[in-house]
Amino acid sequence: MPKGYWLPQIDVSNPEGYQAYMAATPPAHEKYRGMALVRGGRSERVEGHVRSRAVIREFPDYQTALACYRSDDYQRARPLRLAHSTCDFLIVEGYDGVQPPAPETPPAASARKGYWIGHVDITDPEGYKAYMVADMAAFGKFGGRFLVRGGTREVTEGKFRSRAVVLEYPSYDAALACYHSPDYQAAKKIRDATSQADLIIVEGYDGPKF
């Protein structure tokens, strides 16, 4: 069964006040098994518009991800976030389809993985299919695998483009290297001609999962 993901993007206006929100959320996350994959950390905005802080939280499935957001436990904490930040909040179903080919020589892994978080509006669906084929070689070469690739979704706050994509890499450096590689830049030309995107590359989180 595909996993479920929270993909909020946040601009924090009061860091000290925001700490109270972060301290209030662990009971809900632990109850619904929502593990933090990204929680701040190094990042590079490579395309479009993104807020300053990215989060990825992984749940056992999409329905559990929705249930956590709607739970009394989380809704009690949420006003602390609203008071000290501006947020676009997406909950999306994970991907369990075909993955990029495994590299012959895997890139070096680190304690903190790397992630691409992309939000896409497709302007030419038929043309975009060519990009979805062309990108697989570059993703595979750098150890990328899809966590999200489209899928059922609910925007609970703010606004996002119509399609979400999340890729996980063995390290932040591998995630950056993939984006800047000639293989991916060649595939990107197809994407640029058939869609509009916001894309951020972020470092994973290795602290307490809940």
Side-chain angles (χ1 to χ4, degrees):
M1 177 181 294
K3 296 184 183 295
Y5 294 89
W6 284 12
L7 302 179
Q9 292 189 351
I10 306 162
D11 287 330
V12 178
S13 55
N14 179 357
E16 185 174 346
Y18 189 82
Q19 291 294 322
Y21 163 71
M22 294 175 66
T25 56
H29 295 149
E30 185 167 8
K31 181 177 180 180
Y32 292 91
R33 310 303 294 171
M35 296 191 300
L37 303 183
V38 170
R39 196 181 187 192
R42 291 185 295 168
S43 67
E44 182 175 322
R45 178 182 62 82
V46 292
E47 296 180 37
H49 171 77
V50 293
R51 297 193 182 275
S52 58
R53 180 181 177 89
V55 175
I56 303 175
R57 196 168 285 274
E58 183 180 81
F59 291 82
D61 55 60
Y62 177 62
Q63 292 303 322
T64 302
L66 287 173
C68 183
Y69 181 86
R70 295 168 180 165
S71 69
D72 291 341
D73 289 331
Y74 183 72
Q75 289 299 314
R76 280 193 294 270
R78 180 171 171 265
L80 299 172
R81 172 169 58 75
L82 295 177
H84 303 296
S85 67
T86 303
C87 180
D88 300 314
F89 205 123
L90 175 67
I91 300 173
V92 64
E93 182 182 35
Y95 174 74
D96 65 353
V98 176
Q99 293 287 354
E104 293 183 7
T105 304
S110 70
R112 296 188 178 192
K113 295 182 179 181
Y115 296 86
W116 287 19
I117 306 173
H119 299 280
V120 186
D121 285 332
I122 298 172
T123 55
D124 176 1
E126 286 301 313
Y128 191 83
K129 291 177 182 178
Y131 164 72
M132 294 176 67
V133 173
D135 62 9
M136 295 290 267
F139 294 158
K141 182 177 180 179
F142 291 90
R145 69 181 188 94
F146 289 103
L147 301 185
V148 173
R149 197 183 193 193
T152 304
R153 52 185 265 146
E154 182 173 321
V155 179
T156 59
E157 300 175 36
K159 185 177 180 180
F160 283 96
R161 296 188 184 274
S162 58
R163 178 181 175 87
V165 178
V166 178
L167 282 142
E168 181 179 78
Y169 290 84
S171 68
Y172 179 63
D173 288 343
L176 285 174
C178 180
Y179 181 83
H180 294 292
S181 69
D183 287 341
Y184 184 72
Q185 289 299 310
K188 179 179 177 293
K189 291 178 181 179
I190 303 173
R191 175 166 62 78
D192 289 343
T194 57
S195 67
Q196 297 176 336
D198 304 316
L199 179 60
I200 187 171
I201 299 174
V202 296
E203 183 179 40
Y205 172 70
D206 64 354
K209 291 302 182 184
F210 303 116

